Amino acid sequence: MSRHEDMVRVATEVAPIPRDEDGAPVFREPWEAQAFAMTLALHDQGLFTWTEWAAALSAAIKQAQASGDCDDGSTYYQHWLSAIERLVRDKGIASEQALASRRDAWDRAAHATPHGQPILLANDPLR
Amino acid sequence: MGHDHHHDHDDHSHLSEIELRVRALESILVEKGYVDPAAIDALVETYEVKVGPRNGAKVVAKAWADPAYREWLRADATAAIASLGFIGRQGEHMVAVENTRDEHNIVVCTLCSCYPWPVLGLPPVWYKSAPYRSRAVLDPRGVLAEFGVHLPETTRIRVWDSTAEVRYLVIPRRPAGTEGMSEEALAELVTRDSMIGTGLARQPEAVR
């Protein structure tokens, strides 16, 4: 349970991470936990250092603030996700265009999936 | 009214903008071998137990404090919950079931692990376990006893099976001695388990 502590510590130096009374991270929606877990996994793979992560998160938050983010903590993991996207792009793993076209594929897949069924990328009619 | 949260594509699924971005990123990282989806699931599961059901607690506290809101919640939980800003992403309907002296409600999902996460956060690991899913239906009183909940024999237990379309929220009984407490203070008494039905609301002494 302590694997996340380094990440939480560096993130908190940038901006306080939402936590419960026991100090554990709190997620309001499942995707927030997914984004959190993806960052841990990518760091474990050696894709970036925590210093690089802190810089990317800080840049994402500054950019959001400049474009009028409400800055009340409710958008915290949106900035978090932007930071991962930024790092993935800077490291040459996936371009902005690759992410955008994959996003569209998921959108088509969702619309082609009957309600209540698992949404799979294979459901994209254009795939 | 029915599916009015599900505006344009009644029979289709929908992902929010942010969910689309997360899926796009994760699927590319998985394909390139940077991320193991099982490892992500395992990590997410680690944190699931840490999610506070604050939204649901606010709903229940308001229902305790405001009889008109309670009536609305029981008649149309989807709308009453949405009025507080808690809205599901996939248009699932919420149904609120109220515990009384004579009746206790417990929620399960026998097919998968459908869960009202907009109000309760992420589901606890046990909710998704096969033993809970089967035994909650066959022996709800035994399951409740394992959670430390012992109800009088005269209290009927109703088991609600969630589906992809309908999610249940249990309104636990308001503890005695809480008259005049503020909604904020009442919300402190509402635990996640009490809204699944595997627990009771806390006594006011317990949080002082």
Side-chain angles (χ1 to χ4, degrees):
Chain A
M1 288 297 284
S2 63
R3 291 185 61 228
H4 69 263
E5 278 167 14
D6 285 340
M7 179 170 73
V8 169
R9 187 174 46 74
V10 295
T12 298
E13 284 167 17
V14 176
I17 189 169
R19 306 201 209 194
D20 68 11
E21 314 82 59
D22 304 324
V26 170
F27 307 104
R28 296 174 315 145
E29 300 187 11
W31 70 264
E32 296 185 344
Q34 262 170 298
F36 185 92
M38 254 193 283
T39 306
L40 268 185
L42 289 173
H43 178 266
D44 286 357
Q45 290 275 319
L47 198 75
F48 48 73
T49 64
W50 287 137
T51 310
E52 287 176 292
W53 169 249
L57 182 60
S58 168
I61 291 174
K62 286 205 181 86
Q63 190 176 25
Q65 284 169 339
S67 50
D69 180 59
C70 60
D71 210 10
D72 64 355
S74 66
T75 50
Y76 190 84
Y77 282 102
Q78 292 179 24
H79 312 324
W80 186 287
L81 178 61
S82 300
I84 314 178
E85 288 170 340
R86 178 183 299 257
L87 274 172
V88 160
R89 188 191 62 208
D90 291 352
K91 299 279 177 183
I93 295 165
S95 65
E96 213 164 304
Q97 201 179 5
L99 286 172
S101 80
R102 182 57 63 89
R103 175 231 167 265
D104 294 344
W106 275 110
D107 198 24
R108 289 189 300 267
H111 285 277
T113 304
H115 190 57
Q117 301 286 314
I119 300 167
L120 304 172
L121 198 51
N123 297 352
D124 172 14
L126 300 188
R127 197 166 169 85
Chain B
M1 299 296 278
H3 282 259
D4 44 7
H5 278 288
H6 205 71
H7 21 105
D8 43 354
H9 297 281
D10 237 29
D11 48 346
H12 298 157
S13 301
H14 176 75
L15 293 170
S16 69
E17 187 53 42
I18 201 94
E19 286 169 315
L20 290 170
R21 279 169 60 196
V22 170
R23 284 191 184 227
L25 185 62
E26 185 172 342
S27 61
I28 288 177
L29 292 172
V30 167
E31 278 167 18
K32 299 207 168 191
Y34 286 101
V35 156
D36 170 7
I40 294 288
D41 288 350
L43 276 170
V44 169
E45 202 152 282
T46 305
Y47 299 109
E48 281 170 348
V49 290
K50 291 291 184 186
V51 173
R54 291 176 173 73
N55 296 353
K58 283 181 201 158
V59 170
V60 169
K62 191 169 181 60
W64 282 349
D66 178 351
Y69 183 79
R70 190 178 72 218
E71 285 311 305
W72 188 20
L73 185 63
R74 293 192 54 195
D76 185 354
T78 308
I81 291 169
S83 76
L84 300 182
F86 311 136
I87 298 166
R89 293 283 177 200
Q90 301 192 345
E92 61 271 25
H93 292 276
M94 290 294 309
V95 172
V97 290
E98 189 174 13
N99 287 347
T100 63
R101 197 188 54 188
D102 300 324
E103 192 166 272
H104 182 90
N105 297 282
I106 168 172
V107 180
V108 66
C109 181
T110 53
L111 283 176
C112 49
S113 51
C114 292
Y115 190 73
W117 60 262
V119 279
L120 295 191
L122 303 183
V125 173
W126 54 259
Y127 184 84
K128 298 192 286 188
S129 72
Y132 175 75
R133 284 157 48 187
S134 57
R135 290 197 47 234
V137 176
L138 296 172
D139 178 23
R141 206 170 282 276
V143 168
L144 284 175
E146 282 164 28
F147 277 93
V149 176
H150 302 277
L151 298 169
E153 283 300 319
T154 49
T155 302
R156 195 160 76 101
I157 299 174
R158 291 187 73 172
V159 181
W160 299 86
D161 194 357
S162 309
T163 67
E165 271 78 32
V166 183
R167 313 285 164 92
Y168 297 94
L169 175 72
V170 174
I171 309 172
R173 294 181 68 192
R174 181 173 175 164
T178 56
E179 298 77 13
M181 279 173 69
S182 68
E183 269 181 43
E184 291 71 30
L186 287 170
E188 294 294 312
L189 307 178
V190 185
T191 63
R192 178 194 65 202
D193 288 4
S194 73
M195 293 182 281
I196 301 175
T198 53
L200 304 176
R202 290 189 185 118
Q203 295 299 314
E205 309 83 72
V207 294
R208 288 224 174 93

